[in-house]
Structure formats: C-alpha cells, structure tokens
Amino acid sequence: LCGDWQMQVPFPFSLLCLQVIKCKAAVMWEANKPFSIEEVEVAPPKAHEVRIKIVATGICRTDDHVVTGGMVMPFPIILGHEAAGVVESVGQGVTSVKPGDKVIPLFVPQCGECRSCLSTKSNLCSKNKIVSAAGLMSDGTTRFTCKGKAIHHFIGTSTFTEYTVVHESAVAKIDSAAPLEKVCLIGCGFSTGYGAAVQTAKVEPGSTCAVFGLGGVGLSVVMGCKAAGASRIIAVDINSDKFAKAKELGATDCINPKDFKKPIHEVLIEMTGEGVDYSFEVIGRIETMTAALACCQYDCGVSIIVGVPPAAQKVTFDPMLLFTGRTWKGSVFGGWKSKDSVPKLVADYMKKKFVLDPLITHTLPFIKINEGFELLRTGK
C-alpha cells in the first residue's frame, strides 16, 4: 500500500504500488558454463501477468539441453520450468489467480482462445514458447535484469529464481493444501511422462510397452503404462542402477542395450514375438527414436517421442517402418491441456491416485544448483 493518503471518492479505493523485487537467481551467462548465483531485479507484472515466489523447482534434462547447446536459446538466460510457488502479485486484468494462491507455472500455456486450445485433439497453445527462441514476454521485453543487462526468459517460465513473472495463461491455481516440494513435478516431469502413456498413446489394458530412458520422465511413463493396465512394461536404459526403481514403479522387465551384441530393437522383437504395442523414447537421441519406432509391432504399433529432439539433427529411417502401419507421434507435456489438467492432476495426487516421492532422488538448497546438474548428468 502506497503510504498514508486520503481521497474523497464515492467508492472504496486502494492503490497498490508494485515494486521491483531484488532476489537470487541462477543465471546462465553462456553455454557450457556453470550457473552463476546472482542478484537480479524482477520487474512488476504487466497487464495479464503474474509474479510468483518460487518455493520448489525441479531439474530437468531439457534445462541441460540449453546448457550444452542441444537446445538453442539466447543468453544470458534464467532456465527452469518445473516448479511450484505462491502468487506474489498480479497485473491488471488478471482474474484466474490472486496473491497468496498456490500455483504451478506452465511451460505449455493454455490461452483458451486459439485453434489448439479450442480443439479436442491438441494441447500446444499458440502462445507456447517452446519452438520460439526469443526468450521474451509477449510484449517483446523481459522482466529480468542483472548487472544492468537484460536477462532472457525460458519457455515462458524461468523458475531458477526466487521470483519469476509469467503470463496468466501460463499459470494454474492448485489445491492450497498441496505440498509444493512434491507437486512441482507435475509442472513437467511427471505430467509429461504419465500423460504420454495415458493421454497421448492411450495405452490399453493387456498391451505391451517399451520405455527407452529411465530418468524422472521415463519412470513416469512406466507409471502411466501400469495405471493404464499394460501387461508387460519393458524398461530400457544403459544405466542398470536405475532398474530397481523402474521395477518398483511397475516395469516387468529391465534390459541394458550394452548387454547385447545385436540392435536393441531386435532384442525387443524377440522378447515379444512381433514387437511391442507401444514404445516411448524418453531420452532425446536420434538413434533411440528410430530404435523405439522399429521395436513396435509392424502394422499397428505406436511409438511416442517424448524426449526433446537435439537441435540441427535429422532423422534417417526406412520408410517401410511406417508404410506397414506403425504410428509415430510426438508428445509435449503429455498431451494435457495445462491450465485445465494441472489442478486435476494435483487433486489426484492429493487423493493418492499416484505417488511422486519415488521420483525425488535429492533435495538441495538453491545455491547448490550446479551440484544438482552434475547428479543429473551422472545418472544419479
């Protein structure tokens, strides 16, 4: 509230002064360098924007793709996109959330007006920033500055900071009782993997599935396949240390490609007779994308690309793999319409319809973010 003042007005009136907030953020100044913990200035939200105090944020491979140059974004930048927090302030015209609300930022927004949002077949809102490398808010400017320099946003969220600003279409209000340090995973990893199975692939009871990659998203795919009633879930990873967790969450078989002299898709076809009904590539590598497609049943198998494809690389494959009837699909954020679905997923978690704790391997203070990324890169 801006000071002590009085006005003669015919209706109740208050004037809120939104201030620039100074806080800590992990700034990525250039590729292939460590994150730098800096003091940044976070501008007030403009019209239809929301400023959020971030309480918990997860580390995702997609963030690391930017660090290594696999996903091209402008620098300097504040990464992070899997988080939960509390609304600190709102800009003019915001109606869906208010200060004090618990929320999850949405890297796939839902404007409710574009063709994708109005369609029952898609979820990739036209306001999404995933395919745009601008790193700016919708008005073409940024809300972050550091040492006098403008800092770019990351896919409309930027959660590696104590405070961030997002568009109203990119934030979902959730249950006030939800534990933010758990449900932050619904902001990306869990929803992306679980939804790839139950929403995008629509895995059927009794079906066979293969999941390539057993990070947090891959394990969430395993959970989705199990929830959908798959009779066999084959987990594939070159790190056998991940197999125990995969079996805990529903995998029936675990195989390491390094243990075989033949291509992994041939191994999977031999294991299942004619190939799996559904396969999921949850790594982001060209070789595993084509292997996942090839291991599907030849005339009705469905393969889902979940891992973010590497920049500037092209896929080469035998078109006969598709000609015989296989389906190759992509899945962003598990196919969920974010603003509608995230509150429901949080509600399902609160009702114990699924678990999140097994996906959390470490909890670190924010200043140890570089240690967190080393744990990611070493498969821990």
Side-chain angles (χ1 to χ4, degrees):
L1 191 65
C2 287
D4 296 325
W5 54 278
Q6 292 182 338
M7 290 181 66
Q8 295 297 322
V9 290
F11 51 89
F13 184 85
S14 65
L15 179 63
L16 294 177
C17 277
L18 299 182
Q19 304 281 336
V20 170
I21 288 178
K22 292 185 178 181
C23 68
K24 287 185 176 65
V27 178
M28 178 60 55
W29 292 101
E30 56 183 302
N32 295 301
K33 292 294 177 66
F35 290 89
S36 179
I37 302 297
E38 306 278 7
E39 181 180 80
V40 300
E41 295 83 39
V42 185
K46 295 186 179 182
H48 302 292
E49 294 178 356
V50 179
R51 188 161 59 183
I52 303 168
K53 179 180 180 180
I54 298 296
V55 173
T57 184
I59 288 174
C60 177
R61 181 70 68 178
T62 303
D63 302 306
D64 197 43
H65 286 333
V66 180
V67 176
T68 61
M71 184 176 183
V72 179
M73 289 285 164
F75 292 95
I77 191 169
I78 294 175
L79 299 175
H81 62 285
E82 178 183 85
V86 178
V87 174
E88 178 272 335
S89 58
V90 300
Q92 183 180 1
V94 172
T95 59
S96 62
V97 295
K98 64 183 185 304
D101 285 345
K102 284 188 175 181
V103 294
I104 289 179
L106 308 170
F107 72 91
V108 173
Q110 185 183 348
C111 72
E113 300 172 351
C114 70
R115 180 178 178 181
S116 291
C117 285
L118 295 175
S119 170
T120 59
K121 298 179 180 180
S122 61
N123 74 315
L124 200 57
C125 174
S126 64
K127 293 184 182 295
N128 84 85
K129 307 287 184 181
I130 297 172
V131 295
S132 166
L136 302 171
M137 297 296 285
S138 56
D139 67 350
T141 64
T142 176
R143 304 293 169 267
F144 299 119
T145 55
C146 180
K147 299 178 180 178
K149 295 183 179 180
I151 308 297
H152 293 90
H153 294 252
F154 178 55
I155 54 179
T157 50
S158 291
T159 63
F160 291 166
T161 171
E162 292 177 318
Y163 288 86
T164 193
V165 177
V166 304
H167 193 273
E168 184 181 13
S169 64
V171 62
K173 179 181 176 180
I174 61 171
D175 187 339
S176 61
L180 300 183
E181 73 280 6
K182 310 287 187 185
V183 299
C184 64
L185 299 183
I186 292 174
C188 177
F190 173 78
S191 302
T192 297
Y194 190 81
V198 303
Q199 181 78 6
T200 304
K202 293 181 170 56
V203 171
E204 299 162 318
S207 57
T208 57
C209 302
V211 181
F212 289 70
L214 299 176
V217 182
L219 291 173
S220 298
V221 173
V222 170
M223 293 167 67
C225 292
K226 181 180 179 181
S231 62
R232 194 172 185 186
I233 304 168
I234 306 170
V236 184
D237 202 292
I238 59 173
N239 183 353
S240 299
D241 292 341
K242 297 185 177 185
F243 291 168
K245 182 66 68 68
K247 287 188 175 180
E248 174 190 339
L249 293 174
T252 57
D253 307 79
C254 294
I255 59 175
N256 188 331
K258 292 183 177 180
D259 294 337
F260 302 91
K261 294 182 178 180
K262 61 179 66 176
I264 194 62
H265 74 274
E266 293 183 9
V267 175
L268 287 161
I269 290 172
E270 288 181 2
M271 290 176 66
T272 56
E274 292 185 344
V276 298
D277 299 306
Y278 300 95
S279 68
F280 303 84
E281 200 282 348
V282 205
I283 302 169
R285 294 177 60 86
I286 297 301
E287 299 84 359
T288 42
M289 289 176 185
T290 52
L293 176 65
C295 80
C296 281
Q297 208 276 346
Y298 72 97
D299 67 343
C300 62
V302 178
S303 186
I304 311 294
I305 295 175
V306 186
V308 177
Q313 291 192 28
K314 306 298 181 184
V315 176
T316 301
F317 69 100
D318 181 354
M320 187 62 71
L321 290 172
L322 293 179
F323 177 74
T324 56
R326 292 178 180 87
T327 300
W328 211 0
K329 302 180 70 174
S331 180
V332 177
F333 195 57
W336 304 109
K337 289 188 181 292
S338 59
K339 209 169 174 74
D340 291 341
S341 300
V342 163
K344 294 176 183 177
L345 288 168
V346 171
D348 285 347
Y349 169 74
M350 299 298 284
K351 295 173 185 174
K352 303 186 185 306
K353 292 186 177 181
F354 55 81
V355 296
L356 293 174
D357 283 41
L359 301 177
I360 301 172
T361 58
H362 299 76
T363 301
L364 301 172
F366 183 50
I367 58 173
K368 292 188 177 181
I369 188 169
N370 286 305
E371 292 182 29
F373 271 84
E374 282 307 307
L375 290 167
L376 172 75
R377 293 163 188 150
T378 55
K380 298 177 181 178

